[in-house]
Amino acid sequence: MNRETTSELPDGYELSTDPARLDAELIHRWLSQDAYWALGRSREKQDRAIADSLNFGVYDSASGAQIAYARVVTDRSTFAWLCDVYVDPAARGKGLGTSLAAAVRDHLAPYGLRRVLLATADAHGVYAKAGFAPMAHPAKWMVLGEQ
């Protein structure tokens, strides 16, 4: 199911899931140079991540410039992982992170997923405003790889 989502966000911004609108070079620069979870990520790896994910871009309505990004890894049936959420530093403080998380939540709702996960070291409040909460039973979960 490929559903295009375009909706207005606060302060003259718009959201789109159209992969053709993504600025892959900008996304790579943001994540590989400024996002603690993706520092040093190669452009090849980032391009693969974009190609194999459901992507959300936030754009300035007047200029069309991309100012935020998020991607979702999902089977569109039972599970999704929200990751690589990034808002350009110049656009922070306007509620765009929360609006982006809420738009992702709303886009995924029709799939009837059992759970949508994310991990954050410092933005719990942003995601809580969009309905995310700490895991009730984190001891049930395990990880293979970086922790």
Side-chain angles (χ1 to χ4, degrees), residues 29-112:
R29 187 170 56 250
W30 281 341
L31 297 178
S32 69
Q33 295 177 13
D34 192 41
Y36 67 85
W37 64 90
L39 293 175
R41 184 182 290 170
S42 73
R43 173 68 191 265
E44 177 187 13
K45 186 170 282 207
Q46 184 60 50
D47 287 349
R48 244 185 5 251
I50 289 171
D52 293 335
S53 300
L54 174 59
N55 299 278
F56 295 80
V58 177
Y59 305 88
D60 180 283
S61 296
S63 70
Q66 186 169 353
I67 55 87
Y69 174 73
R71 71 184 180 92
V72 175
V73 180
T74 184
D75 61 8
R76 292 181 171 94
S77 182
T78 62
F79 177 82
W81 173 43
L82 172 58
C83 56
D84 288 345
V85 179
Y86 188 91
V87 177
D88 186 282
R92 291 181 187 164
K94 300 176 183 180
L96 292 168
T98 297
S99 294
L100 177 54
V104 169
R105 176 201 64 211
D106 295 347
H107 183 90
L108 295 174
Y111 297 125

Side-chain angles (χ1 to χ4, degrees), residues 121-144:
D122 57 2
H124 296 80
V126 169
Y127 298 109
K129 291 176 189 172
F132 288 85
M135 281 188 179
H137 305 287
K140 291 169 51 174
W141 292 85
M142 297 181 74
V143 64
L144 176 65

